[in-house]
Amino acid sequence: MKGNRLNMAANVGTFVTSRQQLNVQRTLMQQNAIRAEYAAAQLAQMRHEQFTEEY
């Protein structure tokens, strides 16, 4: 019985760690999405400036 309690405690610890890891991954994905959006805005601004210089 004691072994089962230890295994259960180990599994709960792994679950919390996995949940924390998912939160970190979610945060990184959000940051990457923001970076991509910012890069797209910069590219659009550069294209606009190039267009206005040419015409």
Side-chain angles (χ1 to χ4, degrees):
M1 190 70 177
K2 188 175 182 182
N4 287 342
R5 277 189 243 138
L6 290 176
N7 287 339
M8 186 175 192
N11 290 339
V12 169
T14 302
F15 176 73
V16 171
T17 302
S18 297
R19 188 183 318 170
Q20 289 170 342
Q21 187 175 3
L22 287 174
N23 287 337
V24 169
Q25 289 175 345
R26 184 180 298 120
T27 301
L28 290 174
M29 286 174 41
Q30 290 170 340
Q31 289 174 347
N32 287 339
I34 291 169
R35 285 189 186 107
E37 194 173 328
Y38 180 71
Q42 282 183 315
L43 182 60
Q45 180 68 28
M46 289 170 51
R47 285 181 176 164
H48 179 73
E49 289 172 2
Q50 185 178 12
F51 178 77
T52 54
E53 286 176 6
E54 290 177 0
Y55 294 98

